[in-house]
Amino acid sequence: EEDVWWERELARGGRGMNVGSGDQQLEGVWGLDRSKTGERAAGGRKFTGATPDVTGDAQDLPLQDESLDFVAARHLFEHLIDPVGALAEWRRVVKSGGRILVSCPDQARSHTMLIDYTHVHAYTPQSLSNLLEVMGWSVEETQEFAVGSFGIRAKKTGVLL
């Protein structure tokens, strides 16, 4: 179900980057991860090596201003120490009218902070939507998944609240 949502969202096309890609390859999308190719990490990535196209940080993307149509973050957001800084950076690199795609565990349905020590923040669809709106993103869709997570598509607006 979550994979279907991602496929549908990515089918909208455009130039994008999968931030925190780990070992996830998204068709036609550049992957960025702080782990180098082959490195393993904690949490859900302890058994697989990273396969990024680019090594870097979610808060310091090696891109020009307004150079992407979208940023994708699949199960990364709950790991970010500074999500506000990451959203500000993503806002910098996404074109006006561009979008971000985020999926993460729903704290209201799955207490993953107790299971995965690498989760430093917990979100519900409402709490993440509120944060996105404050940071200048207009939430266009929220989709709950049966596995206890959710996805959000938000569009870059010209207004920071």
Side-chain angles (χ1 to χ4, degrees):
E1 177 184 31
E2 184 172 342
D3 289 339
V4 171
W5 183 81
W6 276 101
E7 288 172 16
R8 185 190 79 215
E9 291 301 324
L10 294 174
R12 295 173 185 270
R15 183 172 185 238
M17 178 168 277
N18 180 15
V19 179
S21 61
D23 64 349
Q24 302 169 17
Q25 297 293 313
L26 299 179
E27 183 78 29
V29 180
W30 284 91
L32 175 133
D33 200 274
R34 43 190 289 192
S35 298
K36 295 178 180 147
T37 299
E39 286 183 349
R40 294 182 184 193
R45 285 241 339 276
K46 60 187 159 206
F47 301 114
T48 60
T51 58
D53 297 301
V54 179
T55 301
D57 189 283
Q59 290 182 231
D60 187 22
L61 300 179
L63 298 166
Q64 295 179 356
D65 294 358
E66 298 197 1
S67 58
L68 295 178
D69 297 302
F70 68 91
V71 165
R74 190 171 186 174
H75 290 273
L76 167 74
F77 217 74
E78 62 274 16
H79 299 274
L80 295 174
I81 293 170
D82 182 8
V84 169
L87 286 172
E89 175 66 354
W90 301 353
R91 201 174 148 68
R92 179 187 71 79
V93 301
V94 171
K95 297 174 185 175
S96 181
R99 62 198 191 282
I100 58 172
L101 308 167
V102 178
S103 65
C104 63
D106 184 349
Q107 180 65 17
R109 296 186 298 146
S110 176
H111 301 288
T112 61
M113 288 188 73
L114 299 174
I115 299 167
D116 186 342
Y117 72 93
T118 66
H119 291 189
V120 294
H121 293 284
Y123 299 96
T124 64
Q126 187 61 53
S127 70
L128 185 52
S129 293
N130 291 344
L131 177 59
L132 293 172
E133 295 278 345
V134 167
M135 292 301 298
W137 300 92
S138 174
V139 174
E140 296 182 320
E141 179 190 35
T142 302
Q143 175 72 48
E144 291 191 7
F145 307 121
V147 295
S149 59
F150 65 94
I152 291 181
R153 181 184 68 245
K155 183 176 180 179
K156 180 179 173 181
T157 66
V159 180
L160 288 172
L161 299 180

